Amino acid sequence: MPKSLPYHDFLMARLKSPSYAAVYLETHFELDEGEEPDEALLRLALSDVAEALGQPKMTPEQYEVHLKKLDELLSQQGSDAIYNLGTWLNALGLKLTVAVCTDTEDNTANTETRSHLTV
């Protein structure tokens, strides 16, 4: 009888694709209105992507330093956190795109403005 792959091994195999890794992270970043991000879940997702994409590109020492930067990055807020996340992801071969929603003057509709963060 064939055995199934353990979930972690399956996930790591899928996350080796940068496009899959990007979609995987996007699902963790998208929040419903009023929803607060779960820091532990976000850290796990980013760590999984770092493991899949970073370990083949980095020495074990560089990989450990990269993970330590993640802890510092998740404690930041505002534009510094966004910039540093972009830099952190860039080291893994990913590019961060930020969408900013702005309210119209009469608050009847939201428009989305896409901006690319180049790091």
Side-chain angles (χ1 to χ4, degrees), residues 6 8 10 14 16-17 24 27 32 36 38 40-41 47-48 53 55 75-76 97-98 118-119:
H8 185 75
F10 172 77
R14 296 295 305 262
K16 289 188 186 297
S17 162
Y24 178 74
T27 62
D32 291 330
E36 292 293 321
D38 182 336
L41 186 59
S47 296
D48 287 343
L53 295 176
Q55 284 186 338
S75 68
Q76 298 173 348
T97 301
V98 178
T118 306
V119 289

Side-chain angles (χ1 to χ4, degrees), residues 9-65:
D9 293 341
F10 172 77
L11 180 62
M12 289 301 112
R14 296 295 305 262
L15 289 176
K16 289 188 186 297
S17 162
S19 59
Y20 185 87
V23 170
Y24 178 74
L25 288 177
E26 186 176 335
T27 62
H28 288 82
F29 284 116
E30 287 185 351
L31 301 173
D32 291 330
E33 189 173 327
E35 185 180 5
E36 292 293 321
D38 182 336
E39 187 177 323
L41 186 59
L42 191 54
R43 186 190 191 301
L44 178 62
L46 289 165
S47 296
D48 287 343
V49 169
E51 182 178 343
L53 295 176
Q55 284 186 338
K57 296 178 183 178
M58 300 175 183
T59 66
E61 294 81 19
Q62 291 171 322
Y63 174 73
E64 288 301 319
V65 168

Side-chain angles (χ1 to χ4, degrees), residues 72-93:
E72 180 183 321
L73 182 140
L74 290 175
S75 68
Q76 298 173 348
Q77 293 183 1
S79 59
D80 285 342
I82 294 169
Y83 176 79
N84 290 331
L85 177 61
T87 303
W88 192 88
L89 289 169
N90 193 29
L92 300 174

